Amino acid sequence: MLTDKTVEEYLQRDHWPFDRIDAGTWRSGFRGEVSSFRFFVRLSQHWIFFTIVPFLIAPKDAECQRRLYRRLLELNREINMAKFAIDEDEDVVLTVELPVEALENSEFKDALDALSYYADKHYLELLNLAQQTAT
């Protein structure tokens, strides 16, 4: 079973700088090709979550929101391991969720690789959609 100690060992093993926020949450980040990203790792009884929140702030324009959210749905069908979602403020989040039972370091690493890969790959496209005005 994955423990707090194991999470920290896995983060340290792959040289992820981190701060512990509370009993089951850590904050870290990385610099991609197009931007810097802050993410959180949250450990629950049955799941571990790797989440960039917010990934993008919700656009104010309704048509812009519609185009952005439609693209997020398309990406969710295309990408593996990660998913885009919106939070209670309608901001975009990018997350990877894995069951903790028998989770090994290689899967932990794969989750962080997926999170960082998709964040960097799709950030500019989604940012541009979020900033477009209705035409």
Side-chain angles (χ1 to χ4, degrees), residues 58-69:
K60 303 290 185 230
D61 180 79
E63 179 59 23
C64 185
Q65 250 184 15
R66 186 195 66 75
R67 286 192 302 254
L68 174 64
Y69 296 163

Side-chain angles (χ1 to χ4, degrees), residues 34 37 55 78-79 116-125:
V34 298
F37 301 94
F55 182 70
E78 295 171 13
I79 65 177
S116 57
Y117 174 77
Y118 291 123
D120 210 39
K121 180 175 182 178
H122 296 293
Y123 181 73
L124 288 180
E125 174 196 4

Side-chain angles (χ1 to χ4, degrees), residues 1-11 19-27 39-51 95-104 108:
M1 194 60 118
L2 195 63
T3 66
D4 292 5
K5 182 180 178 193
T6 311
V7 168
E8 292 186 2
E9 287 174 6
Y10 287 172
L11 287 167
D19 295 314
R20 189 160 188 171
I21 306 291
D22 62 31
T25 309
W26 297 263
R27 176 180 49 219
F39 67 89
F40 297 88
V41 178
R42 186 173 53 88
L43 180 62
S44 71
Q45 183 177 359
H46 300 288
W47 293 88
I48 188 163
F49 305 88
F50 306 83
T51 307
T95 190
V96 174
E97 304 168 359
L98 295 175
V100 297
E101 188 174 340
L103 186 83
E104 297 180 8
F108 190 97

Side-chain angles (χ1 to χ4, degrees), residues 50 72 75-76 79-85 93-97 115 118:
F50 306 83
L72 294 175
L75 287 172
N76 279 348
I79 65 177
N80 296 309
M81 200 170 197
K83 67 181 177 182
F84 288 99
V93 300
L94 176 61
T95 190
V96 174
E97 304 168 359
L115 189 74
Y118 291 123

Side-chain angles (χ1 to χ4, degrees), residues 27-30 36-40 51-54:
R27 176 180 49 219
S28 187
F30 62 95
S36 293
F37 301 94
R38 179 183 64 179
F39 67 89
F40 297 88
T51 307
I52 299 174
V53 57

